[in-house]
PDB file of all heavy atoms in Angstrom:
ATOM      1  N   LEU A 132     -18.105 -18.072  14.862  1.00  0.00           N
ATOM      2  CA  LEU A 132     -18.768 -16.941  15.535  1.00  0.00           C
ATOM      3  C   LEU A 132     -18.001 -15.613  15.309  1.00  0.00           C
ATOM      4  O   LEU A 132     -18.627 -14.539  15.217  1.00  0.00           O
ATOM      5  CB  LEU A 132     -18.973 -17.230  16.997  1.00  0.00           C
ATOM      6  CG  LEU A 132     -20.009 -18.280  17.333  1.00  0.00           C
ATOM      7  CD1 LEU A 132     -19.907 -18.738  18.769  1.00  0.00           C
ATOM      8  CD2 LEU A 132     -21.418 -17.741  17.061  1.00  0.00           C
ATOM      9  N   LEU A 133     -16.708 -15.679  15.305  1.00  0.00           N
ATOM     10  CA  LEU A 133     -15.882 -14.526  15.042  1.00  0.00           C
ATOM     11  C   LEU A 133     -16.160 -14.002  13.622  1.00  0.00           C
ATOM     12  O   LEU A 133     -16.253 -12.773  13.390  1.00  0.00           O
ATOM     13  CB  LEU A 133     -14.408 -14.823  15.239  1.00  0.00           C
ATOM     14  CG  LEU A 133     -13.946 -14.950  16.705  1.00  0.00           C
ATOM     15  CD1 LEU A 133     -12.531 -15.503  16.745  1.00  0.00           C
ATOM     16  CD2 LEU A 133     -13.998 -13.594  17.439  1.00  0.00           C
ATOM     17  N   CYS A 134     -16.274 -14.927  12.680  1.00  0.00           N
ATOM     18  CA  CYS A 134     -16.598 -14.571  11.299  1.00  0.00           C
ATOM     19  C   CYS A 134     -17.979 -13.898  11.226  1.00  0.00           C
ATOM     20  O   CYS A 134     -18.213 -12.920  10.492  1.00  0.00           O
ATOM     21  CB  CYS A 134     -16.507 -15.729  10.362  1.00  0.00           C
ATOM     22  SG  CYS A 134     -14.849 -16.395  10.142  1.00  0.00           S
ATOM     23  N   LEU A 135     -18.946 -14.449  11.988  1.00  0.00           N
ATOM     24  CA  LEU A 135     -20.273 -13.893  12.029  1.00  0.00           C
ATOM     25  C   LEU A 135     -20.221 -12.467  12.612  1.00  0.00           C
ATOM     26  O   LEU A 135     -20.876 -11.529  12.081  1.00  0.00           O
ATOM     27  CB  LEU A 135     -21.198 -14.755  12.844  1.00  0.00           C
ATOM     28  CG  LEU A 135     -22.604 -14.233  13.125  1.00  0.00           C
ATOM     29  CD1 LEU A 135     -23.379 -14.078  11.821  1.00  0.00           C
ATOM     30  CD2 LEU A 135     -23.365 -15.095  14.125  1.00  0.00           C
ATOM     31  N   THR A 136     -19.477 -12.277  13.687  1.00  0.00           N
ATOM     32  CA  THR A 136     -19.306 -10.960  14.302  1.00  0.00           C
ATOM     33  C   THR A 136     -18.762  -9.974  13.324  1.00  0.00           C
ATOM     34  O   THR A 136     -19.247  -8.842  13.185  1.00  0.00           O
ATOM     35  CB  THR A 136     -18.417 -11.032  15.529  1.00  0.00           C
ATOM     36  OG1 THR A 136     -18.951 -11.981  16.420  1.00  0.00           O
ATOM     37  CG2 THR A 136     -18.334  -9.672  16.215  1.00  0.00           C
ATOM     38  N   GLU A 137     -17.732 -10.407  12.573  1.00  0.00           N
ATOM     39  CA  GLU A 137     -17.092  -9.500  11.564  1.00  0.00           C
ATOM     40  C   GLU A 137     -18.105  -9.151  10.493  1.00  0.00           C
ATOM     41  O   GLU A 137     -18.162  -7.998  10.047  1.00  0.00           O
ATOM     42  CB  GLU A 137     -15.883 -10.246  10.977  1.00  0.00           C
ATOM     43  CG  GLU A 137     -15.002  -9.334  10.079  1.00  0.00           C
ATOM     44  CD  GLU A 137     -14.101  -8.467  10.894  1.00  0.00           C
ATOM     45  OE1 GLU A 137     -14.043  -8.619  12.126  1.00  0.00           O
ATOM     46  OE2 GLU A 137     -13.396  -7.642  10.277  1.00  0.00           O
ATOM     47  N   ALA A 138     -18.889 -10.107  10.061  1.00  0.00           N
ATOM     48  CA  ALA A 138     -19.894  -9.858   9.021  1.00  0.00           C
ATOM     49  C   ALA A 138     -20.994  -8.881   9.454  1.00  0.00           C
ATOM     50  O   ALA A 138     -21.386  -7.998   8.726  1.00  0.00           O
ATOM     51  CB  ALA A 138     -20.496 -11.178   8.532  1.00  0.00           C
ATOM     52  N   LEU A 139     -21.407  -9.072  10.729  1.00  0.00           N
ATOM     53  CA  LEU A 139     -22.454  -8.190  11.239  1.00  0.00           C
ATOM     54  C   LEU A 139     -21.947  -6.763  11.377  1.00  0.00           C
ATOM     55  O   LEU A 139     -22.711  -5.774  11.130  1.00  0.00           O
ATOM     56  CB  LEU A 139     -22.958  -8.682  12.609  1.00  0.00           C
ATOM     57  CG  LEU A 139     -23.665 -10.051  12.567  1.00  0.00           C
ATOM     58  CD1 LEU A 139     -24.129 -10.402  13.973  1.00  0.00           C
ATOM     59  CD2 LEU A 139     -24.824 -10.038  11.601  1.00  0.00           C
ATOM     60  N   ILE A 140     -20.695  -6.568  11.787  1.00  0.00           N
ATOM     61  CA  ILE A 140     -20.118  -5.233  11.855  1.00  0.00           C
ATOM     62  C   ILE A 140     -20.014  -4.612  10.486  1.00  0.00           C
ATOM     63  O   ILE A 140     -20.316  -3.445  10.272  1.00  0.00           O
ATOM     64  CB  ILE A 140     -18.769  -5.276  12.585  1.00  0.00           C
ATOM     65  CG1 ILE A 140     -18.961  -5.675  14.043  1.00  0.00           C
ATOM     66  CG2 ILE A 140     -18.049  -3.929  12.486  1.00  0.00           C
ATOM     67  CD1 ILE A 140     -17.646  -5.856  14.783  1.00  0.00           C
ATOM     68  N   ALA A 141     -19.554  -5.450   9.520  1.00  0.00           N
ATOM     69  CA  ALA A 141     -19.437  -4.932   8.143  1.00  0.00           C
ATOM     70  C   ALA A 141     -20.799  -4.542   7.562  1.00  0.00           C
ATOM     71  O   ALA A 141     -20.952  -3.622   6.788  1.00  0.00           O
ATOM     72  CB  ALA A 141     -18.769  -5.964   7.253  1.00  0.00           C
ATOM     73  N   LEU A 142     -21.847  -5.287   7.974  1.00  0.00           N
ATOM     74  CA  LEU A 142     -23.195  -5.007   7.506  1.00  0.00           C
ATOM     75  C   LEU A 142     -23.773  -3.772   8.125  1.00  0.00           C
ATOM     76  O   LEU A 142     -24.385  -2.947   7.443  1.00  0.00           O
ATOM     77  CB  LEU A 142     -24.100  -6.231   7.770  1.00  0.00           C
ATOM     78  CG  LEU A 142     -25.615  -6.059   7.489  1.00  0.00           C
ATOM     79  CD1 LEU A 142     -25.847  -5.978   5.982  1.00  0.00           C
ATOM     80  CD2 LEU A 142     -26.377  -7.195   8.119  1.00  0.00           C
ATOM     81  N   SER A 143     -23.618  -3.627   9.434  1.00  0.00           N
ATOM     82  CA  SER A 143     -24.296  -2.544  10.174  1.00  0.00           C
ATOM     83  C   SER A 143     -23.421  -1.302  10.343  1.00  0.00           C
ATOM     84  O   SER A 143     -24.012  -0.225  10.547  1.00  0.00           O
ATOM     85  CB  SER A 143     -24.695  -3.052  11.558  1.00  0.00           C
ATOM     86  OG  SER A 143     -25.510  -4.208  11.492  1.00  0.00           O
ATOM     87  N   ALA A 144     -22.125  -1.441  10.335  1.00  0.00           N
ATOM     88  CA  ALA A 144     -21.230  -0.275  10.511  1.00  0.00           C
ATOM     89  C   ALA A 144     -20.047  -0.375   9.584  1.00  0.00           C
ATOM     90  O   ALA A 144     -18.915  -0.528  10.044  1.00  0.00           O
ATOM     91  CB  ALA A 144     -20.777  -0.214  11.970  1.00  0.00           C
ATOM     92  N   PRO A 145     -20.292  -0.294   8.270  1.00  0.00           N
ATOM     93  CA  PRO A 145     -19.207  -0.411   7.298  1.00  0.00           C
ATOM     94  C   PRO A 145     -18.200   0.739   7.444  1.00  0.00           C
ATOM     95  O   PRO A 145     -18.584   1.895   7.708  1.00  0.00           O
ATOM     96  CB  PRO A 145     -19.903  -0.374   5.948  1.00  0.00           C
ATOM     97  CG  PRO A 145     -21.220   0.312   6.191  1.00  0.00           C
ATOM     98  CD  PRO A 145     -21.589  -0.036   7.593  1.00  0.00           C
ATOM     99  N   GLY A 146     -16.937   0.451   7.270  1.00  0.00           N
ATOM    100  CA  GLY A 146     -15.912   1.491   7.312  1.00  0.00           C
ATOM    101  C   GLY A 146     -15.342   1.837   8.680  1.00  0.00           C
ATOM    102  O   GLY A 146     -14.502   2.660   8.757  1.00  0.00           O
ATOM    103  N   THR A 147     -15.813   1.135   9.715  1.00  0.00           N
ATOM    104  CA  THR A 147     -15.317   1.414  11.049  1.00  0.00           C
ATOM    105  C   THR A 147     -13.850   0.883  11.149  1.00  0.00           C
ATOM    106  O   THR A 147     -13.526  -0.130  10.542  1.00  0.00           O
ATOM    107  CB  THR A 147     -16.151   0.767  12.151  1.00  0.00           C
ATOM    108  OG1 THR A 147     -16.374  -0.616  11.827  1.00  0.00           O
ATOM    109  CG2 THR A 147     -17.486   1.462  12.262  1.00  0.00           C
ATOM    110  N   ASP A 148     -13.059   1.576  11.926  1.00  0.00           N
ATOM    111  CA  ASP A 148     -11.606   1.281  12.016  1.00  0.00           C
ATOM    112  C   ASP A 148     -11.384   0.467  13.255  1.00  0.00           C
ATOM    113  O   ASP A 148     -10.948   0.975  14.309  1.00  0.00           O
ATOM    114  CB  ASP A 148     -10.836   2.599  12.063  1.00  0.00           C
ATOM    115  CG  ASP A 148      -9.363   2.389  11.727  1.00  0.00           C
ATOM    116  OD1 ASP A 148      -9.018   1.249  11.300  1.00  0.00           O
ATOM    117  OD2 ASP A 148      -8.575   3.332  11.928  1.00  0.00           O
ATOM    118  N   GLY A 149     -11.559  -0.857  13.198  1.00  0.00           N
ATOM    119  CA  GLY A 149     -11.320  -1.742  14.324  1.00  0.00           C
ATOM    120  C   GLY A 149     -12.327  -1.519  15.452  1.00  0.00           C
ATOM    121  O   GLY A 149     -13.338  -0.716  15.290  1.00  0.00           O
TER     122      GLY A 149
END
Side-chain angles (χ1 to χ4, degrees):
L132 287 167
L133 287 169
C134 292
L135 174 63
T136 304
E137 189 80 6
L139 295 182
I140 293 174
L142 173 70
S143 303
T147 51
D148 197 11

